[in-house]
Amino acid sequence: MTRGHILLRPITWLMVLALAMVLAVQAGTASAVPDGETFTLTVLHNNDGESDLLASEGEGGAALFKGLVDARRAAATNSILVSSGDNFLAGPEWEAGIDAGVFYDAIVLEALGYDAISLGNHDFDFGPDILNDFIDSFTNPPTYVSANVDLSPVPALDAQDIVPSTVVSVNGESVGIIGAITPVLATISSPDPVIIQQDVAGLVQAQIDALTGQGVEIIVLISHLQGIDEDIELASQLTDIDIMVAGGGDELLANETTPLLSTDAAEDIFGPYPLIATDANQNEVPVVTTTGSYGYLGELTVEFNDAGVATSWMGEPIRVVAADGITPDANIETNVITPLEAALEAFGTEVVATSQVDLNGVRADVRTKETNQGNLIADAFLWEASQAASGLGLDAPQVAFANGGGIRNDSVIPAGDITQLDTFDMLPFLNFVTVVEDVPPAQFKEILENAVSRVEFTDGRFAQIAGMSLVYDPNGTGMEIDVETGDVLQAGSRVMSAILGDGTAVIQAGQVVPGAAPVTIVLVDFLARGGDQYPVRDLDFTLVGTTYQQALANYLTAPAANGGLGGIVSADQYPVGGEDRIIALEPNVNDYAALGGVNGGGQWLVPGADGPFFYGDPGDTPFLGDWNGDGTQTPGLYRPSTGFAYVRDTNDFGVADRDWFMGNPGDIPLVGDWDGDGVDSFGVYRPSEGKVYLRNAQTTGFADVEYYFGNPGDAPFSGDFDGDGIDTVGL
């Protein structure tokens, strides 16, 4: 019979019961399924355990997970257990194991007895050598599978049990299991010199063809492509694939009657379990995943006919909850949970500093805007590198970058004690503080462009910074870099200005300043090696020998006399919302290249000007306008505290050429040519009244035009919306 798929019908519980009775008779036989008979395979699966080994209030955790796996294996006549990768993650749990000289995650994985495990991106976070040590620690290692990695540059790892695919015999029926990993691995982890092959579909299909050519009729793909949508897309490029188990996306698949963990709700459900993909021949393929962290065990039951064709399927994720009658595994409790809890308790009671202010490390914030926790971390990097620079013969570093993807606590740490455990929660990876000397200004701009190139996608490359101020336009073109070669495919145009801490401009008005000197920067080695597509390329870099977590702990505890914080994170130094180190141009003021408050207040960056200059006071609201009708835009200020306007006719430092009173303190200023005479003037919008006041003359006096518009609290802007040469107000 030609291999293929037939019209599917759902499995009913009566069918399962009848099938179980048939299989009970067949149990213990070594032969394949006879002609005319069916075969049912239960795929037990999880992904993204990520060292989250401890239960939380009776839910999740490795010991309970093992108890559930044992119970479901006993209930399933024919089953396999697979993981789609990321079974360990840097953090306090990992650090506790390193301190104790063991890999706690390896003990758990070996106890679970996986039939196959896909490589995940976090498996490479510490580099191939640590992955090799991790696998070496097993007495009987599971089979790791990945069809699109070339391990030949790492001979020790290449000799491990890592293969493109494997075949498991389940009661005489051969089941092929193929692995795949995200092709962007090199930009989100540290696999170098392992080669990540990009043709995932072609390499997986080659494994499918090889297995089916050997007579293997049931094919399962376990992959870590970073999201289930990628697996569904991959399915459309494959043939003869029966089941796909995804990893990396942490999506919650569940059905209407599926019991959920207490931390999950119906609105969190990504889709039904399983999702259905369509292969290249328009056949349906079930695709499953779990949310990770040992919170759910996925259980997919698939019925095959005697030709290995999937005819029906059913299943759901099973929550890992002690209240459901699950018995924790005694071996894992004794050898993993108990010592791990003791180690974390010690971390959690070791106070390293006290914060006077809440510290914002929320994932969506540290990846899109400046936060005070991001500033604290970037400052720690710059301080640590500065302490080590002279001893290593390095130039004094000027700027530090902390990529948002490396900040992992995803929470606001409340004011109060900061413990050693908090520092691990913030910075869990084995990343080392690294110095890159003499970065050419043009390449420095590329690094900044990369940092803001995907801010709208909350990408982990967004940088928290120290030692400089940055202004960028999120509506500009985001830089695009080739994931394989590192070449710039699309130059970015978002970075408007970059001013070093000493006031030196490296970039202004979107261009590198002529004659700008190279910059010495600090980041983590993950970025220096090209992670998150940071274009460091072939520049030499030096690791200072301190992890980024250690750098933070050192900075928090070092005496103030040595430049540290002396155990106090002050609200003055790290205010909520940050210090305007990073300013994103608002959509309604993108026509204005001037920004007050940059670099301590009052610095202007105007296209065509000879350079940056200061005008005004911190807190002034800046605008550009043509105040004398000469066709050139020059600075204007509105001082909200007094209601006065101040304008200059030239783009340089100096006092106001004219000033006048306009409005009341608290009014929102507007700039425009209200009468079409070619000269701009001010107006105000009074939010308390919802009223516009416009004056044509640059003198104190009553408004020439006033009217109600919009609702109190609306935000005003101005422009020539109909092209008649006269500006009007929009809301």
Side-chain angles (χ1 to χ4, degrees):
M1 179 180 295
T2 302
R3 177 180 169 79
H5 293 254
I6 64 174
L7 184 64
L8 304 173
R9 64 182 188 279
I11 296 178
T12 67
W13 288 109
L14 290 176
M15 291 168 59
V16 172
L17 179 61
L19 184 60
M21 295 174 63
V22 171
L23 294 176
V25 174
Q26 296 177 344
T29 63
S31 60
V33 178
D35 290 345
E37 298 289 343
T38 60
F39 178 81
T40 295
L41 176 68
T42 296
V43 179
L44 302 172
H45 64 92
N46 75 309
N47 51 275
D48 299 272
E50 296 185 349
S51 297
D52 200 355
L53 302 173
L54 301 182
S56 175
E57 298 183 357
E59 296 187 343
L64 282 172
F65 185 84
K66 173 65 162 61
L68 177 59
V69 167
D70 290 347
R72 301 313 300 170
R73 274 178 165 163
T77 304
N78 305 311
S79 68
I80 59 173
L81 176 66
V82 297
S83 166
S84 288
D86 277 3
N87 289 292
F88 64 81
L89 180 69
E93 293 87 355
W94 176 269
E95 185 68 22
I98 298 302
D99 290 347
V102 297
F103 292 114
Y104 286 129
D105 297 281
I107 296 174
V108 170
L109 299 184
E110 185 150 11
L112 286 166
Y114 287 95
D115 292 288
I117 295 177
S118 171
L119 289 171
N121 57 288
H122 287 308
D123 293 318
F124 288 97
D125 280 346
F126 305 116
D129 291 339
I130 297 299
L131 175 58
N132 180 64
D133 293 343
F134 184 82
I135 298 174
D136 268 344
S137 73
F138 287 91
T139 301
N140 183 27
T143 300
Y144 279 82
V145 289
S146 187
N148 64 315
V149 295
D150 178 358
L151 301 165
S152 58
V154 186
L157 190 58
D158 194 35
Q160 294 285 2
D161 196 12
I162 301 176
V163 292
S165 63
T166 188
V167 177
V168 177
S169 179
V170 182
N171 280 343
E173 183 71 19
S174 295
V175 177
I177 306 174
I178 304 167
I181 196 168
T182 175
V184 300
L185 180 66
T187 71
I188 61 174
S189 191
S190 303
D192 189 63
V194 170
I195 299 169
I196 312 305
Q197 298 168 313
Q198 301 298 299
D199 184 14
V200 178
L203 293 165
V204 170
Q205 187 63 56
Q207 291 299 312
I208 295 173
D209 295 343
L211 291 170
T212 56
Q214 298 167 18
V216 178
E217 296 179 325
I218 299 175
I219 306 295
V220 179
L221 175 66
I222 59 175
S223 63
H224 201 89
L225 302 181
Q226 293 297 95
I228 201 166
D229 288 338
E230 283 72 18
D231 290 81
I232 292 172
E233 172 62 25
L234 176 61
S236 69
Q237 305 171 57
L238 303 175
T239 59
D240 294 336
I241 187 73
D242 294 300
I243 300 167
M244 300 177 74
V245 183
D250 293 343
E251 297 92 352
L252 175 59
L253 302 185
N255 303 316
E256 290 184 1
T257 59
T258 300
L260 302 178
L261 295 171
S262 64
T263 52
D264 293 325
E267 55 266 26
D268 299 321
I269 296 175
F270 181 85
Y273 183 105
L275 289 175
I276 305 302
T278 304
D279 74 3
N281 290 333
Q282 301 304 302
N283 296 309
E284 293 182 327
V285 181
V287 185
V288 293
T289 191
T290 71
T291 58
S293 297
Y294 295 105
Y296 292 96
L297 172 67
E299 184 177 76
L300 179 69
T301 299
V302 182
E303 182 184 274
F304 295 87
N305 65 16
D306 59 357
V309 177
T311 58
S312 55
W313 45 70
M314 67 174 297
E316 64 181 351
I318 305 171
R319 64 182 183 179
V320 180
V321 179
D324 292 345
I326 304 169
T327 303
D329 180 75
N331 171 54
I332 293 178
E333 283 280 0
T334 299
N335 295 302
V336 176
I337 305 304
T338 298
L340 187 53
E341 287 177 335
L344 294 185
E345 183 179 0
F347 285 156
T349 57
E350 183 182 349
V351 176
V352 295
T354 299
S355 179
Q356 299 174 346
V357 62
D358 293 348
L359 297 173
N360 182 7
V362 173
R363 183 180 191 272
D365 291 339
V366 297
R367 292 173 175 230
T368 58
K369 63 183 180 181
E370 174 190 347
T371 76
N372 60 349
Q373 183 181 306
N375 288 346
L376 173 66
I377 290 168
D379 284 349
F381 293 0
L382 188 58
W383 177 85
E384 184 71 32
S386 298
Q387 298 299 302
S390 61
L392 296 172
L394 301 174
D395 293 338
Q398 299 160 280
V399 172
F401 299 97
N403 62 311
I407 302 173
R408 306 295 291 192
N409 56 299
D410 192 18
S411 65
V412 174
I413 298 176
D417 290 342
I418 299 175
T419 67
Q420 190 78 288
L421 184 59
D422 289 327
T423 67
F424 279 114
D425 286 341
M426 285 188 266
L427 304 175
F429 298 132
L430 194 65
N431 290 332
F432 286 88
V433 176
T434 301
V435 176
V436 185
E437 296 180 287
D438 297 328
V439 179
Q443 192 169 356
F444 182 69
K445 183 176 187 293
E446 287 184 340
I447 289 172
L448 293 172
E449 290 284 1
N450 181 67
V452 297
S453 64
R454 291 177 55 83
V455 63
E456 61 269 40
F457 302 107
T458 62
D459 196 275
R461 71 189 64 196
F462 182 84
Q464 303 291 324
I465 61 175
M468 65 172 289
S469 61
L470 170 67
V471 179
Y472 77 98
D473 179 359
N475 294 314
T477 301
M479 185 169 73
E480 295 181 16
I481 297 179
D482 187 281
V483 69
E484 292 187 69
T485 66
D487 295 335
V488 175
L489 302 176
Q490 172 66 61
S493 64
R494 292 187 170 182
V495 175
M496 294 290 102
S497 73
I499 312 296
L500 302 183
D502 63 2
T504 301
V506 181
I507 301 163
Q508 63 180 33
Q511 303 295 321
V512 174
V513 174
V519 182
T520 295
I521 67 173
V522 182
L523 30 64
V524 294
D525 61 318
F526 167 69
L527 302 182
R529 302 178 198 277
D532 277 343
Q533 293 191 296
Y534 269 65
V536 176
R537 301 193 186 94
D538 57 355
L539 293 176
D540 292 334
F541 58 86
T542 302
L543 279 65
V544 304
T546 306
T547 68
Y548 73 156
Q549 176 272 332
Q550 290 171 328
L552 175 59
N554 291 344
Y555 179 59
L556 290 169
T557 57
N562 292 339
L565 296 184
I568 301 295
V569 179
S570 72
D572 289 339
Q573 191 169 356
Y574 295 103
V576 173
E579 309 167 83
D580 285 340
R581 298 185 187 186
I582 302 174
I583 295 178
L585 289 172
E586 295 291 339
N588 291 334
V589 295
N590 279 343
D591 291 337
Y592 303 108
L595 291 172
V598 176
N599 198 32
Q603 181 159 291
W604 291 74
L605 309 162
V606 182
D610 291 336
F613 58 92
F614 286 89
Y615 177 58
D617 297 332
D620 289 345
T621 301
F623 286 101
L624 287 176
D626 183 0
W627 311 116
N628 60 3
D630 67 355
T632 300
Q633 288 194 321
T634 53
L637 297 170
Y638 181 75
R639 191 157 293 163
S641 61
T642 64
F644 265 81
Y646 303 88
V647 300
R648 277 186 61 74
D649 293 330
T650 55
N651 285 311
D652 52 18
F653 175 78
V655 299
D657 291 304
R658 286 172 300 287
D659 64 84
W660 66 94
F661 180 81
M662 180 64 192
N664 297 328
D667 287 347
I668 299 174
L670 295 162
V671 170
D673 181 0
W674 315 122
D675 57 4
D677 66 354
V679 177
D680 287 330
S681 187
F682 270 98
V684 297
Y685 180 70
R686 190 159 296 159
S688 61
E689 300 176 350
K691 196 171 184 180
V692 173
Y693 297 86
L694 306 178
R695 183 165 172 78
N696 294 320
Q698 296 175 356
T699 58
T700 299
F702 292 106
D704 294 302
V705 178
E706 60 181 80
Y707 56 92
Y708 290 98
F709 186 36
N711 299 317
D714 285 348
F717 57 95
S718 60
D720 181 3
F721 303 121
D722 59 4
D724 65 353
I726 297 175
D727 291 325
T728 53
V729 178
L731 295 171

